[in-house]
């Protein structure tokens, strides 16, 4: 008999990565009693658990540590704060009365909570979703699959690899391959420049002797049962050539893990593919919040954690009746020009600032000192220049103009003039 047992908490957090754990800690620190994190993996901590290079924790914990150390630190903070973390626990859907249907080793249950935070993160699109033709041989990974294979399971990968992508995570994949003793033949990107920090690029080029092939895309993978070569194409003139390798890693190209959000019936953003949220992380359904890379795929782990911490504090205020009920009402934020999306997407209250006091913009072009204008109808709320635009990286817009938004006015429009 598969009858589910009812289980009541104050706040249920779906996802035990940096955003979910940081939110849970913030909730407990705000005095919320029963906070429960539901995590499907064996161990909480999220992606950093299997990302062994350093560089984690700078913005949120004010220190630099490796990914596994960062994940352990958040798990320890949650334990000290009194958060209940249930691992190997999968949220499979929503019950008819608004609860969470949960499957765990100890059986089936329905978790009812006064508020729910979705912090389910994002994943990379695998090769089939990128429409790269060829054979279906072994040796094709995403970064997440690669790092789990190397760091969690200690299995061999290959001997010579191509990394598809030159944003932060592409360089992370390169470091993982080097750790596993794999020669990295090149990183490739269709864009005219890499999208990571300059030290990463210089380190790859001059210290590790790994070229970054810009304006280049992978058009085919060949070899069975093991990958033997990839076919590359120069975007500018269509010139093609092959590169011998037994491993290829597809990096970046993120899509939120949004299945639970979609089935919850909340308003979804066609650009981010995540839920529409306001500055507090509230979705269009009262009591249902979202944070982290589910909302803005994909930011670094510390930015996701800060997003979760902000949402946790917002939920505590909402439970105390001191915050707006949902992001369904209010003023929408629209983007124009070479801006792919923004987060948050709605303004429920001009008194609420987003995490870090910044609106996240995602540009689709490279630009230095781009001019940005924020307007509502004929009124200009803010205009100025940002340091730079880089595709796949956030551009942070100061949110001081939120106080000037007319709550009964037209949509707020953010334009980039480059």
């Amino acid at each position: 008999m598969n009858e589910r047992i009812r289980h009541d908490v104050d706040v249920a957090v779906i996802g035990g990565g940096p955003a979910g754990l940081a939110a849970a800690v913030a909730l407990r620190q705000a005095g919320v009693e029963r906070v429960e994190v539901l995590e499907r993996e064996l161990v909480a901590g999220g992606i950093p658990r299997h990302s062994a290079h350093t560089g984690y924790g700078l913005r949120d914990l004010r220190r630099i540590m490796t990914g596994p150390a960062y994940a352990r630190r958040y798990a320890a903070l949650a334990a000290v704060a009194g958060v209940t973390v249930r691992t190997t626990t999968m949220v499979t859907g929503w019950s008819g009365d608004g609860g969470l249907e949960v499957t765990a080793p100890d059986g089936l249950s329905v978790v009812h909570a006064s508020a729910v935070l979705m912090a389910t993160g994002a994943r990379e699109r695998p090769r089939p979703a990128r429409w790269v033709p060829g054979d279906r041989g072994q040796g094709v990974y995403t970064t997440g699959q690669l790092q789990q294979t190397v760091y969690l399971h200690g299995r061999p990968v290959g001997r010579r690899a191509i990394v598809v992508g030159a944003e932060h995570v592409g360089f992370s994949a390169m470091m993982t391959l080097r750790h596993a003793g794999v020669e990295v033949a090149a990183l490739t990107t269709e864009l005219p420049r890499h999208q990571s920090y300059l030290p990463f690029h210089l380190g790859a080029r001059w210290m590790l002797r790994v070229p970054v092939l810009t304006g280049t895309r992978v058009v085919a993978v060949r070899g069975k049962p093991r990958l033997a070569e990839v076919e590359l194409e120069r975007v500018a003139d269509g010139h093609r050539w092959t590169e011998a390798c037994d491993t290829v890693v597809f990096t970046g190209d993120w899509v939120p893990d949004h299945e639970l959000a979609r089935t919850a019936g909340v308003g979804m953003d066609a650009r981010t593919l995540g839920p529409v949220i306001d500055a507090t992380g509230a979705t269009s359904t009262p009591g249902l919040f979202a944070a982290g890379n589910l909302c803005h795929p994909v930011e670094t782990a510390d930015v996701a954690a800060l997003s979760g911490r902000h949402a946790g504090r917002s939920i505590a205020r909402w439970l105390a009746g001191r915050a707006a009920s949902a992001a369904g009402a209010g003023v929408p934020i629209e983007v124009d020009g070479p801006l792919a999306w923004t987060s948050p997407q709605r303004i429920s209250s001009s008194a609420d600032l987003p995490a870090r006091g910044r609106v996240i913009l995602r540009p689709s072009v490279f630009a230095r000192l781009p001019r940005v204008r924020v307007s509502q109808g004929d009124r200009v709320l803010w205009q100025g220049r940002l340091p730079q635009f880089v595709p796949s990286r956030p551009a942070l817009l100061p949110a001081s103009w939120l106080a000037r938004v007319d709550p009964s006015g037209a949509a707020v429009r953010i334009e980039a003039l480059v």
Side-chain angles (χ1 to χ4, degrees), residues 160-163 174 177-178 182-187 209-211:
R160 193 168 194 267
I162 292 282
V163 175
M174 180 192 70
L177 290 164
R178 298 277 296 197
V182 180
E183 175 192 357
V184 182
L187 278 70
R209 305 291 183 185
V210 175

Side-chain angles (χ1 to χ4, degrees), residues 5-189:
I5 300 173
R6 179 179 174 122
H7 178 58
D8 293 297
V9 299
D10 294 318
V11 179
V13 178
I14 309 172
L21 292 176
V25 171
L27 282 158
R28 287 289 297 131
Q29 290 174 340
V32 179
E33 289 292 332
R34 298 173 299 171
V35 181
E36 191 162 286
V37 174
L38 307 171
E39 167 58 44
R40 64 187 176 187
E41 297 287 344
L42 284 168
V43 178
I47 297 296
R49 292 181 305 116
H50 49 79
S51 181
H53 59 75
T54 189
Y56 288 86
L58 178 61
R59 297 179 181 88
D60 55 340
L61 301 180
R62 303 300 181 189
R63 64 185 68 179
I64 298 177
M65 56 187 74
T66 66
Y70 179 80
R72 289 193 297 271
R73 177 64 176 160
Y74 262 108
L77 289 172
V80 169
V83 175
T84 299
V85 179
R86 295 174 63 189
T87 57
T88 59
T89 300
M90 172 79 79
V91 178
T92 56
W94 305 86
S95 65
D97 56 355
L100 296 167
E101 295 183 339
V102 172
T103 299
D106 58 354
L108 306 177
S109 62
V110 177
V111 174
H112 284 267
S114 300
V116 174
L117 175 67
M118 298 180 291
T120 49
R123 61 179 182 271
E124 295 162 294
R125 294 182 198 272
R127 171 207 163 186
R130 305 186 193 212
W131 298 95
V132 177
D135 299 323
R136 304 181 71 175
Q138 299 173 5
V140 179
Y141 299 88
T142 63
T143 310
Q145 292 169 335
L146 171 73
Q147 292 180 333
Q148 289 194 39
T149 300
V150 172
Y151 292 125
L152 293 189
H153 305 299
R155 294 174 182 162
V157 177
R159 288 187 287 185
R160 193 168 194 267
I162 292 282
V163 175
V164 182
E167 54 181 280
H168 297 333
V169 69
F171 289 89
S172 177
M174 180 192 70
M175 295 302 295
T176 302
L177 290 164
R178 298 277 296 197
H179 175 85
V182 180
E183 175 192 357
V184 182
L187 278 70
T188 71
T189 174

Side-chain angles (χ1 to χ4, degrees), residues 328-386:
V331 178
I333 306 174
E334 300 173 351
V335 294
D336 206 351
L339 293 175
W341 49 257
T342 179
S343 181
Q345 300 94 345
R346 298 192 71 87
I347 303 165
S348 298
S349 168
S350 58
D352 293 322
L353 291 177
R356 307 167 70 196
R358 300 286 191 273
V359 171
I360 299 176
L361 304 177
R362 182 57 56 89
S364 57
V365 298
F366 293 93
R368 291 186 181 278
L369 297 173
R371 192 156 65 92
V372 175
R373 180 171 60 204
V374 183
S375 60
Q376 186 180 29
D378 297 331
R379 291 194 307 135
V380 176
L381 304 177
W382 185 91
Q383 58 182 344
R385 293 186 181 275
L386 299 182

